[in-house]
Amino acid sequence: MQHDAKKLFAAMQRKYRAGIREAEQRGIIPYASDQGRWLESPFDGNSWWTGGFWPGLMWQFYAAGRDPVFREEARRTEALLTAEFRVFERLNHDVGFMYLLSCGADAKLTGDKQAEVDTLHAASLLMGRWNPAGYIRAWNHPSQAGYAIIDCMMNLSLLYHASRVTGDPRFAHVARQHADTTLRCFVREDGSVRHIVEFDPETGEMLREHGGQGWAEGSSWSRGQAWGLYGFTLAHRHGGEARDLAAAEKIAAHFMAHIRPDGLVDCDFCQPKSPERLDNIAGAIAASGFLSLAEATGKGVYREAAEKLVDGMAAHCFDETERYRGVLTRCTASYHDDAAGVHTNIVYGDYFLAEALAKLNGTDPGLWE
Ligand code: GLY
């Protein structure tokens, strides 16, 4: 690798340490940054699916040096997230992202009992979204009762965790069945994955796919590819099933074929050449996923892919100026929806970059495991 992972991680840690006070004084969970300020989530307040990444970053920094400043900031925002349990109706299947990286990380790194209870509470909410017709329901709009999305592969880690902690296999059974549905209905022949699949909520029959956050229906949204690659790698880690690892490798091959020569990643692998639209969040997620896949398979090619991505981000999109509070630039939330952020710094891009760097440095606490 051309860049020094330790120096990059330390630079992130320094920049975030300097930005904590602003977030604390404003009482917010930052979602993105621009013009030297943190920005809040554009949708659904603290119930928005991204709320766990800020505390997740704090726990990554805490794990690397045990500086209590990061623990306390993680806990400040953990309290804001657990307050959302009572709002309930705005929470969705992304409770995995939200609570595994906040309460789950706290329980893992400090042994805090209430944090573990809150993590199990979140797992129970996710179980409540299981439709026995065969899938975990993604979102809440009445017209979306049959929708499941590829991102949910990451949320399954919360269910595996709950089975381990409670000794009750129900959570893992649901995760297994949802992973099998995903394998059957989302993974295409060429190794790309669909973003949204709609099922008949009564019978579980697959009705159609929807385009979602990528360029078009039938295209290959890069972040969705990264969720699939990392999600199946994690499912294999939790359950040990060879078919999950095979799926991860198939998606990985498709992803590797689309990493740009400069190490950056387009928002959609089928998008038109112009305008340029990058999504480094996809690159950061994939980098961390590739490192776990390298560990699971012992194959150097996945580590090389991760290093190419990290080098690309470090060379072209690592901001150490005052423009952004965070570091990773040219992140795009959704191909067609600029309101959620386009070519800017978004905190979950930083989370996965920090996680990938922590894996390279040997400090990653394994928050999905
Ligand atoms: N999980 C939603 C997204 O990746 O934007």
Side-chain angles (χ1 to χ4, degrees):
M1 198 168 113
Q2 286 158 11
H3 290 82
D4 183 330
K6 285 201 172 62
K7 281 195 183 140
L8 292 169
F9 189 88
M12 287 189 84
Q13 210 172 10
R14 263 196 313 278
K15 210 169 177 190
Y16 268 81
R17 203 177 199 292
I20 285 174
R21 180 176 285 273
E22 184 206 332
E24 188 189 349
Q25 282 177 344
R26 290 170 55 200
I28 63 167
I29 306 177
Y31 164 80
S33 71
D34 203 0
Q35 312 300 334
R37 253 174 87 77
W38 294 117
L39 306 174
E40 289 178 76
S41 136
F43 314 106
D44 282 356
N46 291 336
S47 280
W48 188 236
W49 74 278
T50 54
F53 293 109
W54 175 270
L57 269 161
M58 299 302 131
W59 288 118
Q60 283 288 351
F61 297 143
Y62 178 76
R66 304 280 152 177
D67 182 339
V69 165
F70 295 120
R71 184 188 61 214
E72 293 319 303
E73 175 59 9
R75 286 189 167 153
R76 179 185 72 78
T77 50
E78 187 179 321
L80 296 176
L81 290 172
T82 52
E84 295 300 304
F85 284 146
R86 300 197 66 185
V87 177
F88 180 70
E89 63 186 9
R90 289 196 304 202
L91 293 174
N92 59 35
H93 74 142
D94 283 331
V95 289
F97 286 113
M98 292 174 71
Y99 296 101
L100 207 48
L101 299 182
S102 54
C103 311
D106 190 348
K108 181 166 202 139
L109 289 168
T110 74
D112 187 87
K113 292 276 181 293
Q114 184 59 49
E116 190 61 85
V117 168
D118 290 334
T119 311
L120 294 177
H121 189 140
S124 301
L125 292 177
L126 187 53
M127 284 289 277
R129 305 190 69 84
W130 168 244
N131 182 331
Y135 63 91
I136 293 174
R137 177 177 174 168
W139 299 317
N140 300 343
H141 192 277
S143 67
Q144 296 174 333
Y147 281 37
I149 69 173
I150 189 66
D151 320 32
C152 194
M153 285 303 300
M154 297 297 289
N155 292 320
L156 300 186
S157 285
L158 179 63
L159 299 180
Y160 284 112
H161 170 83
S163 269
R164 257 198 320 277
V165 171
T166 63
D168 185 333
R170 287 175 305 150
F171 301 91
H173 287 325
V174 163
R176 176 69 265 149
Q177 288 179 70
H178 184 83
D180 279 334
T181 298
T182 308
L183 203 45
R184 203 175 62 250
C185 301
F186 284 73
V187 184
R188 303 186 184 114
E189 261 317 295
D190 66 355
S192 67
V193 295
R194 303 186 164 96
H195 180 195
I196 303 172
V197 170
E198 182 174 0
F199 298 95
D200 181 326
E202 298 295 340
T203 66
E205 180 198 352
M206 177 177 166
L207 298 177
R208 57 170 293 197
E209 79 170 279
H210 293 272
Q213 285 158 258
W215 171 60
E217 196 175 306
S219 72
S220 181
W221 175 48
S222 60
R223 195 155 74 246
Q225 312 311 303
W227 293 141
L229 148 65
Y230 198 177
F232 276 107
T233 304
L234 288 167
H236 169 262
R237 182 164 184 117
H238 291 297
E241 296 288 350
R243 60 188 183 280
D244 289 330
L245 196 58
E249 292 205 77
K250 189 170 173 177
I251 302 165
H254 175 79
F255 199 103
M256 284 189 290
H258 289 89
I259 300 173
R260 297 169 20 143
D262 59 6
L264 303 181
V265 172
D266 285 328
C267 185
D268 193 306
F269 295 150
C270 302
Q271 73 192 30
K273 282 210 171 0
S274 167
E276 182 175 67
R277 188 152 282 216
L278 296 160
D279 179 23
N280 280 315
I281 310 169
I285 298 162
S288 189
F290 276 127
L291 289 169
S292 291
L293 191 55
E295 196 186 330
T297 59
K299 294 183 185 169
V301 65
Y302 298 131
R303 187 177 168 102
E304 285 160 24
E307 290 179 352
K308 181 173 179 178
L309 289 164
V310 172
D311 272 331
M313 290 183 273
H316 307 291
C317 297
F318 194 91
D319 181 85
E320 295 194 67
T321 73
E322 301 290 305
R323 159 92 197 260
Y324 295 108
R325 280 288 200 184
V327 302
L328 185 62
T329 64
R330 293 203 264 173
C331 298
T332 299
S334 180
Y335 189 91
H336 292 289
D337 178 11
D338 291 4
V342 55
H343 280 199
T344 188
N345 169 249
I346 304 182
V347 161
Y348 55 101
D350 280 5
Y351 174 79
F352 284 101
L353 178 58
E355 186 184 274
L357 292 169
K359 284 181 184 175
L360 290 166
N361 296 337
T363 63
D364 174 49
L367 301 183
W368 305 97
E369 294 164 10

